[in-house]
């Protein structure tokens, strides 16, 4: 039996039976869904504090700060839900050993195909704040910063409203910062650079934020969904969290479904759910957003939604964005559109990004127009990968390679001058923001 799942429209699949009296769904079933999405107002209004406290009646554990809570998170197996899937407890421990640490909640969500963090910020701001304050208690931080895309007006409003409802928070000072609207501005080093007064540009050069971050202090950077899970682990325990998911990748995750799906939007599923139970593609699936990979229907049929299954395919769960390509859309054209947008989103820090991604985007357009640039694209992918000032060009290369493999038959049709199947565009490519990096 596949694990339970629920979308924001309330459609469910059966859950396995068990009993835990403190389950947040109030059903007594630890495997019941939703968890993070439980009780949200589908009209779009944020959950008031009084309703939040009724839904989550277990008090926040005042005596479980520091290593007690970190140990619980470690036993839970929680991994970051921002894309890198780094063990959350390892981050907490690293920062807790520093002096005057800072907690940063990353709500930038620059991925156009993802809405999950915006949904939590807009509809469950108190759950996010609970997790942020618990993380601060765990590492001994007196300051919490929540970074949100400056264009996400509803998220900013909901957070300010939730903070006003709470009044004074004695545990830690919480502030909200509006971050520049760029694809890579939400990478943790880019976010820390910006909070320190610099441009919102990422780097792979040490030290990492856990060593020297905001104000040169050790800084915990976790995304919105991760701290929301942390809040629930603190209430209901690591065993409850592990009652869904896989042994190596426990818990649930939020996914954003778009394209050729019957119910687009944000859904909550157990990690390890068969991918074919989440989507049923007729053409292809883009998994993990614009840093992600295209998968064929055959590949989708054989894997679960977990990194262990996806890694051999050169793919990963990433941020949980899933775009389903319909039969009347062209995979080459959609990939070319994404590549052109990515080329305009580079931070301009290195040649592989500025020149390499732009050249790949141009060659992808040419391939879509019937010019054989396949060998050139594969050669450039080798030259660009692993040579950037950040991981941005690596993500572009991953997307490119998956497109060349999954759409091999489409490439043949285009090169033979046969009619393209494209009747519409599916992938959401925003207009370039043109904003400064500061």
């Amino acid at each position: 039996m596949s694990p339970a799942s629920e979308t924001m429209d309330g459609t469910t699949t059966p859950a396995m039976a068990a009993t835990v009296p403190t389950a947040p769904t109030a059903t007594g079933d630890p495997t019941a869904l939703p968890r993070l999405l439980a009780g949200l107002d589908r009209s779009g209004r944020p959950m008031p504090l009084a309703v939040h406290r009724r839904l989550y009646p277990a008090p926040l554990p005042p005596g479980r700060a520091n290593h007690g809570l970190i140990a619980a998170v470690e036993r839970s197996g929680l991994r970051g839900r921002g894309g890198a899937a780094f063990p959350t407890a390892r981050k907490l421990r690293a920062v807790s050993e520093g002096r005057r640490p800072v907690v940063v909640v990353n709500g930038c969500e620059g991925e156009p195909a993802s809405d999950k963090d915006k949904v939590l910020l807009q509809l469950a701001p108190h759950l996010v704040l609970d997790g942020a304050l618990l993380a601060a208690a765990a590492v001994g931080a007196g300051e919490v910063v929540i970074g949100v895309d400056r264009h996400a007006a509803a998220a900013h409003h909901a957070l300010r409203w939730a903070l006003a409802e709470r009044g004074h928070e004695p545990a830690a000072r919480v502030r909200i910062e509006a971050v520049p609207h760029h694809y890579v501005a939400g990478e943790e080093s880019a976010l820390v650079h910006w909070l320190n007064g610099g441009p919102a540009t990422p780097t792979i050069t040490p030290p990492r934020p856990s060593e020297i971050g905001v104000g040169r202090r050790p800084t915990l950077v976790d995304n919105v969904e991760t701290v929301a899970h942390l809040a629930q682990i603190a209430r209901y325990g690591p065993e409850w969290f592990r009652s869904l998911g896989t042994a190596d990748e426990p818990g649930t995750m939020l996914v954003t479904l778009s394209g050729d799906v019957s119910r687009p939007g944000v859904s909550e599923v157990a990690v390890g759910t068969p991918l074919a139970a989440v989507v049923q593609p007729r053409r292809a699936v883009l998994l993990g957003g614009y840093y992600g990979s295209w998968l064929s229907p055959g590949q989708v049929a054989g894997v679960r939604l977990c990194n262990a299954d996806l890694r051999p395919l050169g793919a990963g769960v990433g941020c949980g964005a899933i775009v389903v390509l319909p039969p009347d859309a062209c995979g080459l054209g959609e990939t070319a559109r994404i590549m052109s947008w990515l080329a305009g989103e580079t931070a301009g820090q290195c040649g592989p990004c500025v020149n390499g991604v732009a050249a790949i985007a141009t060659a992808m357009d040419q391939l879509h127009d019937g010019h054989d640039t396949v060998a050139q694209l594969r050669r450039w992918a080798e030259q660009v990968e692993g040579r950037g000032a950040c991981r941005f060009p690596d993500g572009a290369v991953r997307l490119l390679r998956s497109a060349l493999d999954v759409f091999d038959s489409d490439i043949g049709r285009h090169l033979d001058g046969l009619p393209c199947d494209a009747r519409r565009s599916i992938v959401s490519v925003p207009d370039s923001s043109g904003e400064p990096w500061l």
Side-chain angles (χ1 to χ4, degrees), residues 352-378:
C353 203
V354 175
N355 301 319
V357 176
I360 287 172
T362 299
M364 197 69 206
D365 273 328
Q366 293 171 340
L367 179 61
H368 178 248
D369 290 339
H371 303 284
D372 190 354
T373 59
V374 173
Q376 188 178 54
L377 283 166
R378 293 194 183 277

Side-chain angles (χ1 to χ4, degrees), residues 220-245:
L220 174 75
V221 183
D222 270 323
N223 93 308
V224 164
E225 184 186 345
T226 306
V227 299
H229 281 298
L230 187 149
Q232 292 194 325
I233 291 167
R235 285 184 169 96
Y236 306 109
E239 291 74 21
W240 168 84
F241 184 76
R242 281 187 169 275
S243 65
L244 283 174

